[in-house]
């Protein structure tokens, strides 16, 4: 409809952007239309979004001209980067800069930047509690996102900084789910001590982003932190046990041990969990489930998420 506001969504075939695309399409009376951005308009995922009613266009976050074209005449844009595709914070910062510049040139009226903290504000490189990684980062996949905040604000964009949380979907896709130990018991191995981890259903990030766009000007210039729930490792293991009908124990490991696990990014994630533990009060305080629920009344708890997804968690049995 002519008076609908279009939201251009980067990462539309992925977790965060996909949640936003579906949130907009599921609310046909909401006054918004969606433009899904993908590198390949002919992929199965892109075609599925088109079938659901999205306008699907091609752009690449490495190509500012393609982004500008995709952002043109959209009311709002949702910007996200893909650290785990390349493991390069420098590339992530360059891609965020491309999106910010494209939004500036396209003149979009509301930008959401999906961000995380630059942990070096809390743990300077000289702080030896955790190793410095890739030469100048403490948590590479956080730090460049946080550094990019000032690229968006520095260009004077009408931006909302969206602080996201650990996806519970990592238990399905990221190899973080319970695994059988030598004693035959399923163990949830995380370097979380007895601290709480703000977590969220990945789909809810997009639903919250939709809630931010629906608020109009209210959240422009603000940082909004979201989570579904804050849970300890023991609480997540108990919920997993209940949902799976099998005992899952929480196996707390030291951060240094986790850093040494050897899988790609283990050092980055070990530092990330240490940051979340050492600054737990700040980290949880910055991600309020009530804020998320106000933006997205269907916000899922971990138990809700497990009810939908428990059969998809690989248990390595
Ligand atoms: N896992 C967590 O717990 C967590 C928590 C908070 C934040 N994050 C952050 O979330 C970010 C990833 O978001 P996500 O999980 O929504 O991603 P995702 O599900 O992996 O989706 C990525 C999508 O982005 C598109 N894409 C990849 N490279 C692109 C490029 N060069 N240009 C344009 N599009 C590109 C791909 O679409 P096409 O193939 O269709 O182009 C892909 O479907 C990461 O930076 C990560 O650090 C993760």
């Amino acid at each position: 409809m002519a008076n609908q506001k279009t939201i251009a969504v980067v990462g539309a075939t992925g977790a965060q952007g996909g949640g936003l695309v579906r949130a907009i399409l599921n609310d046909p009376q909401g006054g918004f239309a969606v433009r899904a951005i993908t590198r390949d308009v002919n992929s199965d995922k892109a075609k599925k979004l088109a079938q659901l009613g999205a306008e699907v266009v091609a752009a690449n976050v490495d190509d500012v001209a393609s982004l500008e074209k995709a952002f043109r005449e959209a009311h709002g844009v949702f910007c996200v980067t893909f650290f785990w595709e390349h493991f390069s914070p420098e590339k992530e910062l360059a891609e965020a800069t491309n999106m910010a510049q494209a939004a500036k040139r396209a003149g979009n009226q509301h930008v959401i930047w999906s961000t995380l903290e630059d942990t070096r504000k809390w743990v300077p490189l000289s702080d030896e509690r955790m190793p410095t990684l890739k030469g100048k980062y403490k948590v590479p996949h956080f730090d460049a996102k946080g550094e990019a905040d000032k690229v968006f604000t520095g260009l004077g964009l009408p931006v909302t900084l969206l602080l996201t949380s650990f996806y519970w979907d990592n238990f399905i896709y990221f190899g973080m789910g319970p695994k059988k130990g030598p004693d035959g018991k399923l163990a949830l191995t995380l370097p979380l001590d007895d601290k709480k981890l703000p977590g969220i259903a990945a789909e809810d990030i997009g639903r919250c982003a939709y809630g931010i766009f629906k608020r109009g000007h209210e959240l422009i210039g603000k940082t909004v932190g979201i989570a579904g729930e804050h849970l300890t490792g023991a609480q997540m293991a108990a919920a997993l046990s209940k949902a799976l009908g099998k005992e899952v124990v929480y196996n707390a490991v030291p951060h240094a041990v986790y850093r040494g696990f050897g899988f790609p990014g283990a050092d980055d994630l070990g530092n990330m969990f240490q940051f979340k533990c050492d600054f737990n009060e700040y980290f949880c305080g910055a991600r309020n489930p009530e804020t998320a629920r106000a933006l997205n009344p269907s916000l899922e708890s971990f138990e809700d998420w497990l009810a939908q997804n428990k059969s998809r968690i690989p248990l390595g049995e």
Side-chain angles (χ1 to χ4, degrees):
M1 274 176 282
N3 55 359
Q4 281 184 322
K5 292 176 175 168
T6 296
I7 304 295
V9 180
V10 175
T13 58
Q16 297 191 27
L20 174 56
V21 171
R22 286 180 284 279
I24 295 172
L25 294 175
N26 288 338
D27 185 16
Q29 305 306 320
F32 288 87
V34 67
R35 183 179 298 159
I37 297 174
T38 173
R39 289 166 300 179
D40 178 7
V41 296
N42 292 313
S43 73
D44 290 346
K45 286 181 177 177
K47 283 188 192 152
K48 175 121 193 260
L49 295 179
Q51 276 161 15
L52 291 173
E55 175 191 1
V56 178
V57 304
N60 191 313
V61 292
D62 297 323
D63 174 356
V64 68
S66 74
L67 288 169
E68 183 185 344
K69 197 166 160 223
F71 288 179
R72 280 229 170 264
E73 282 159 39
H75 163 82
V77 294
F78 177 79
C79 299
V80 58
T81 43
F82 315 104
F83 181 85
W84 302 108
E85 298 243 334
H86 47 66
F87 291 74
S88 164
E90 286 81 14
K91 195 164 159 64
E92 194 167 35
L93 183 60
E95 291 173 344
T97 303
N98 283 344
M99 287 187 278
Q101 286 176 342
K104 184 76 184 173
R105 291 183 204 161
N108 306 112
Q109 290 162 59
H110 194 170
V111 177
I112 295 180
W113 163 230
S114 174
T115 189
L116 291 165
E117 286 83 355
D118 183 341
T119 64
R120 296 166 296 185
K121 290 183 191 160
W122 287 262
V123 191
L125 296 186
S126 58
D127 189 328
E128 290 177 357
R129 78 176 77 199
M130 60 179 78
T132 293
L133 302 175
K134 297 180 191 282
K136 54 174 182 161
Y137 303 95
K138 287 298 186 184
V139 183
H141 81 282
F142 269 50
D143 295 349
K145 289 183 180 73
E147 198 177 330
D149 291 357
K150 57 180 181 293
V151 177
F152 285 88
T153 55
L155 284 172
L157 288 168
V159 66
T160 303
L161 302 175
L162 178 62
L163 276 179
T164 59
S165 286
F166 176 93
Y167 309 170
W168 293 319
D169 308 67
N170 293 335
F171 295 143
I172 302 174
Y173 302 112
F174 219 69
M176 287 192 180
K179 307 242 178 353
K180 219 174 213 179
D183 60 357
K185 279 194 179 167
L186 285 169
L188 181 67
T189 297
L190 289 172
L192 252 191
D193 304 334
D194 57 354
K195 299 294 193 295
K196 291 197 167 188
L197 176 68
I200 195 162
E203 190 76 8
D204 272 328
I205 297 176
R207 293 187 192 128
C208 290
Y210 181 44
I212 291 171
F213 283 124
K214 282 200 294 186
R215 294 280 180 97
H217 293 286
E218 188 186 324
L219 297 172
I220 288 176
K222 303 264 181 355
T223 297
V224 177
I226 53 169
E229 268 188 290
H230 301 164
L231 296 171
T232 62
Q235 287 172 322
M236 286 188 278
L240 282 158
S241 302
K242 193 170 157 207
L244 297 169
K246 302 176 193 187
E247 190 187 8
V248 177
V249 294
Y250 170 47
N251 176 32
V253 288
H255 301 111
V257 170
Y258 198 90
R259 281 191 277 272
F261 275 170
F263 61 84
D267 49 0
D268 186 332
L269 292 172
N271 282 7
M272 174 194 80
F273 281 113
Q274 186 172 353
F275 172 68
K276 291 181 183 185
C277 287
D278 288 2
F279 302 92
N280 198 248
E281 200 178 321
Y282 156 74
F283 195 79
C284 290
R287 290 159 169 80
N288 186 346
E290 291 320 310
T291 304
R293 188 161 290 106
L295 292 167
N296 161 27
S298 63
L299 186 77
E300 292 178 23
S301 65
F302 188 43
E303 201 177 322
D304 297 334
W305 180 86
L306 281 169
Q308 305 282 332
N309 293 285
K310 61 184 174 188
S311 63
R312 301 165 69 212
I313 300 174
L315 298 176
E317 290 176 297

